[in-house]
Amino acid sequence: MNNNGTPLSSPLPGCEGRPAGAASAGAGREGAPAAGAPAPRLMTAHQLRQRGISAARVAEHTRTGGPWRQLLPDVYLLDGGPVTGEDRLRAALLYAGRAVPAQGRRGTAGAGRSAAMVTGLAALAAHGFESAPPLPSLDAVDVLVPRTRRLRSTGFVRLIRTASLPEPEPVGGLALAPVARALADAVAELADVRSVRLLLTEAVRDGHCEPGTIVRELAAARLLSRPYVVGAVDALLAEGRARAEERLYALVRDGALPEPLWNVDLRLPGGPYLGGVDAFWPDHAVAVELDTRAPRFCGSFADDARYEPGAAKREHLERLGVTVVHLTPRTLREAPEQQTVVVRTALTAAGDREPAAPLVVLPR
């Protein structure tokens, strides 16, 4: 059955008068629908030819007042209903490459490598971002394509060329750019500080991706030289740290671990400042440190000036007998039970270690 309840063996909408047998003219060929598959709402000129529908018949059905509409070059809407935001996304993918099979869903196998994917604000809206404009209100649908593709932007499709396509994320049968890449492409077209900040913080708050991944994409797109983007990144990192701290609190609570001292600074008695930790069990000499750093103007932590002091702090504490458990926001989000085991093991092993040096613990 198609969207109108018409069996596949019946003609396509508006094609009731074509010769019998034309509907199966493309059966078994690449791009032709399999027997029993629902008739699509959108088709390309190539797909229509495979169904035995001539260019003249297509022109007849797309004339003013006809049952079909041409949304983009060689892309046709096969019923008279209103054009939805999803129709525009699917039409854009048909024009620029190919769509993920309609039965695909996020994370399903078989979606294949796409020759094009929706990116920018349209992709974020399809990913479910509340701070992205609704799909019908967007003037353009951004589509990521290989640099070598011989296509041009047209109608509501704006092509963004790249030397290397990321792996698409299939959502609702649509090939979407990963959230971090879609964010970078959206930010490149935005000049509104508030919109940029809302998009970046929502990505972290709702668990779409980690701050470091977003910052890498922004850096790769050379967007970190824009002052309003730098300000939004500061808010993004603060949001990322807040979410990570919430997950650490939940890890201690749900894992029935002893209550630590939260967010404290450590010093040697009468000696130098050793650094701050996110959680500290003084009776066990165990500390937890959240790594919420993100590379700011580069693609790796190796070039981040904050990396070396952090590593030196951990090494100093461990020489003093303090076990430092290093956790990242991603591991807390994706494997909290495993991280609970890591912390519990460190606490349990405290009795087998040499006593740690006495430390002064102060509120951070």
Side-chain angles (χ1 to χ4, degrees):
M1 305 286 285
N2 65 9
N3 292 335
N4 298 316
T6 307
L8 183 64
S9 57
S10 299
L12 288 173
C15 289
E16 291 79 1
R18 73 184 169 179
S24 60
R29 291 196 297 241
E30 183 179 358
R41 176 176 164 86
L42 286 156
M43 294 187 79
T44 64
H46 176 68
Q47 291 169 331
L48 291 168
R49 285 195 302 271
Q50 287 186 315
R51 286 200 168 199
I53 302 172
S54 66
R57 182 61 62 91
V58 171
E60 177 185 343
H61 291 320
T62 53
R63 70 185 188 280
T64 303
W68 295 357
R69 273 177 287 177
Q70 183 173 6
L71 299 187
L72 293 165
D74 290 337
V75 180
Y76 301 92
L77 180 69
L78 305 186
D79 66 39
V83 180
T84 66
E86 183 177 328
D87 287 335
R88 282 158 51 94
L89 299 191
R90 294 189 186 280
L93 287 172
L94 285 172
Y95 169 73
R98 66 171 178 85
V100 173
Q103 67 270 22
R105 288 295 184 265
R106 181 188 297 270
T108 58
R113 187 75 176 182
S114 180
M117 62 194 73
V118 178
T119 189
L121 289 173
L124 296 176
H127 276 296
F129 273 63
E130 293 182 358
S131 53
L135 284 172
S137 70
L138 293 174
D139 294 329
V141 173
D142 291 325
V143 180
L144 201 58
V145 296
R147 185 173 292 167
T148 54
R149 282 279 291 173
R150 288 189 164 184
L151 271 180
R152 62 180 181 180
S153 299
T154 186
F156 55 82
V157 175
R158 181 168 54 200
L159 299 181
I160 298 176
R161 302 183 186 279
T162 181
S164 178
L165 281 177
E167 189 71 27
E169 293 187 7
V171 177
L174 295 164
L176 304 183
V179 167
R181 177 58 195 258
L183 279 168
D185 290 331
V187 169
E189 299 296 330
L190 291 173
D192 176 42
V193 178
R194 183 174 181 274
S195 296
V196 171
R197 183 170 299 214
L198 287 173
L199 289 169
L200 296 186
T201 54
E202 182 177 349
V204 174
R205 184 188 67 236
D206 292 354
H208 291 285
C209 51
E210 299 299 334
T213 306
I214 298 172
V215 175
R216 286 187 182 92
E217 287 288 353
L218 294 174
R222 300 182 179 180
L223 295 171
L224 292 179
S225 60
R226 303 182 183 185
Y228 68 91
V229 175
V230 173
V233 166
D234 289 337
L236 161 77
L237 297 177
E239 183 72 26
R241 178 159 190 85
R243 298 285 79 76
E245 288 179 344
E246 288 177 2
R247 293 185 180 111
L248 180 58
Y249 298 152
L251 179 149
V252 171
R253 181 183 64 248
D254 299 341
L257 298 176
E259 188 73 12
L261 302 176
W262 295 105
N263 294 312
V264 294
D265 286 334
L266 303 179
R267 292 178 179 273
L268 284 171
Y273 171 70
L274 299 173
V277 294
D278 296 283
F280 184 59
W281 288 265
D283 294 339
H284 303 78
V286 172
V288 167
E289 184 179 38
L290 292 174
D291 187 350
T292 56
R293 296 169 300 116
R296 297 298 302 273
F297 298 97
C298 54
S300 70
F301 288 121
D303 300 322
D304 194 328
R306 292 169 295 171
Y307 176 77
E308 195 171 320
K313 175 186 72 176
R314 288 192 293 275
E315 292 171 1
H316 195 176
L317 287 173
E318 288 172 355
R319 284 198 302 270
L320 294 171
V322 177
T323 299
V324 180
V325 179
H326 183 251
L327 301 179
T328 66
R330 181 173 182 175
T331 57
L332 282 172
R333 177 167 61 90
E334 297 182 355
E337 297 85 1
Q338 181 180 344
Q339 307 315 305
T340 302
V341 171
V342 171
V343 176
R344 180 178 286 113
T345 300
L347 294 171
T348 303
D352 300 328
R353 299 192 301 268
E354 292 292 326
L359 298 176
V360 176
V361 183
L362 299 170
R364 190 183 294 182

